[in-house]
Amino acid sequence: QVRLVESGGGSVQTGGSLRLSCAVSGYSGSSTCFGWFRQRPGQEREGVATFSTFDRSSNYEDSVKGRFTVSRDNTKNTVYLQMNGLKPEDTAMYYCAAKFTRTCTVLLGQRAYSIWGQGTQVTVSS
């Protein structure tokens, strides 16, 4: 059974950094799209970054480009989201998700993903 477990959330001040981790267990396929999503209170879940294990490409939502970096450590079967230059508007619950097809872009909505982690809270204060 595939399982995703996020960690690394916390509280930081504006301009700070956090690295979120998504530990993957139960699957190590070659065509997996990992997505990082966030959900602010009262808002829908939105995609912020994706990583494709097929071609190791990444894709970002416009507001996080240049600040967030998604990567994967094959040896640890973990996907990371490095977040730099954090802003108060980045405050949200962050989720890791996986889908087992090659199409991998932040334009895909949450319904495209079949496996989800429990989420980790990120709070950025001004």
Side-chain angles (χ1 to χ4, degrees), residues 7-10 12-13 15-21 36-38 48-49 60 64 66-70 80-87 90-94 120-124:
S7 62
V12 297
Q13 293 188 327
S17 298
L18 285 172
R19 188 178 77 161
L20 305 184
S21 299
W36 282 100
F37 286 76
R38 65 186 177 190
V48 296
Y60 300 92
V64 307
R67 300 188 297 124
F68 291 11
T69 304
V70 61
Y80 300 99
L81 183 67
Q82 177 67 44
M83 306 187 296
N84 299 327
L86 283 163
K87 305 175 181 180
D90 294 319
T91 295
M93 183 71 80
Y94 283 72
T120 185
Q121 177 67 38
V122 171
T123 303
V124 185

Side-chain angles (χ1 to χ4, degrees), residues 4 17 25 27 31 41-43 47 49 52 54 56 72 80 93 104 114 117:
L4 306 178
S17 298
S25 60
Y27 182 81
S31 293
Q43 297 187 19
S52 169
F54 173 67
R56 299 190 66 81
R72 184 193 185 206
Y80 300 99
M93 183 71 80
C104 200
S114 55

Side-chain angles (χ1 to χ4, degrees), residues 21-40:
S21 299
C22 174
V24 183
S25 60
Y27 182 81
S28 58
S30 59
S31 293
T32 306
C33 174
F34 291 100
W36 282 100
F37 286 76
R38 65 186 177 190
Q39 187 168 22
R40 302 182 181 97

